[in-house]
Amino acid sequence: MQLTNANTAGHIVVLASGSGSNLQTLLDVSSDEWAVVGVVSDRPGSGALERAARANVPTRTVRWRDYPDREAFTEGICARIAEFDPGLIVLAGFMRVLGPAAVRRWPNRIVNVHPSLLPAFPGAHAVRDALDHGVKVTGVTIHFVDEQLDHGPIIRQEAVDVLPDDNEDSLHRRIQTVEHRLLPEVVASLVGGEYDVSGRIVKGRVTA
Ligand code: GRF
């Protein structure tokens, strides 16, 4: 499968709400084949926007409260994303749920990084929920975004052990170490077109 046309396949647009440590890994390893061309955030002043500015990557801010509902917010954010002519859109700690219009516009071209082994512990508190549940293993999932929350076809997963003395911060730190290694690898493989999606099943080098 190829991402859009050859000229824009390497255009990575990152959506982020938080500190942007995952974004930073993409800013650090951009290659001849791909680069972060734009960052969109719903949070003015977020770490992600500061990291983008330091890397001279253009940014846009789309605030939830400026729109009457999810549909209008999604329309607003899609318009900003489209300005960057994206090949791939990466949700890296983006804490808003996009409406179906975004997924229909860019099917299998929006990727999310989630801090659990989905389908376990979807939602905004995956690390805390895993700890509260008493699981001994959790991890990282990178998946395509579909119309349900934290649900689309799984691209890569890696397990992280839960240690007896873990709290939410310590476990999240180890999970993020894995995220930071996996995300640039997955982006490089997707840009290289080394995968195939059939229903929920993703196959190719990207899944290894
Ligand atoms: C990551 O742990 C990601 O899994 C979750 O939000 C966190 C974002 O962290 N969706 P950062 O902003 O990339 O540092």
Side-chain angles (χ1 to χ4, degrees), residues 64-185:
W64 175 259
R65 69 171 188 220
D66 291 341
Y67 296 87
D69 54 26
R70 186 176 313 284
E71 201 183 329
F73 173 76
T74 300
E75 205 176 297
I77 211 153
C78 285
R80 300 287 87 72
I81 295 169
E83 289 173 28
F84 298 116
D85 215 352
L88 187 69
I89 299 154
V90 178
L91 310 190
F94 185 65
M95 300 311 284
R96 299 285 176 190
V97 177
L98 294 174
V103 179
R104 288 187 202 135
R105 183 162 179 175
W106 292 293
N108 290 339
R109 280 169 57 200
I110 309 177
V111 168
N112 183 42
V113 187
H114 186 78
S116 75
L117 293 175
L118 291 171
F121 311 117
H125 306 292
V127 179
R128 189 195 309 164
D129 292 347
L131 274 174
D132 288 350
H133 201 85
V135 295
K136 306 303 179 211
V137 177
T138 183
V140 174
T141 302
I142 301 180
H143 65 96
F144 288 114
V145 172
D146 69 4
E147 294 186 22
Q148 296 177 53
L149 180 68
D150 297 330
H151 174 270
I154 291 170
I155 305 168
R156 279 283 286 272
Q157 288 186 305
E158 190 168 305
V160 173
D161 285 338
V162 180
L163 303 179
D165 293 333
D166 262 333
N167 57 38
E168 193 175 345
D169 282 347
S170 63
L171 179 55
H172 202 172
R173 264 198 304 279
R174 289 204 312 290
I175 286 173
Q176 286 204 312
T177 305
V178 174
E179 291 177 346
H180 296 164
R181 176 166 45 78
L182 292 190
L183 183 59
E185 284 179 22

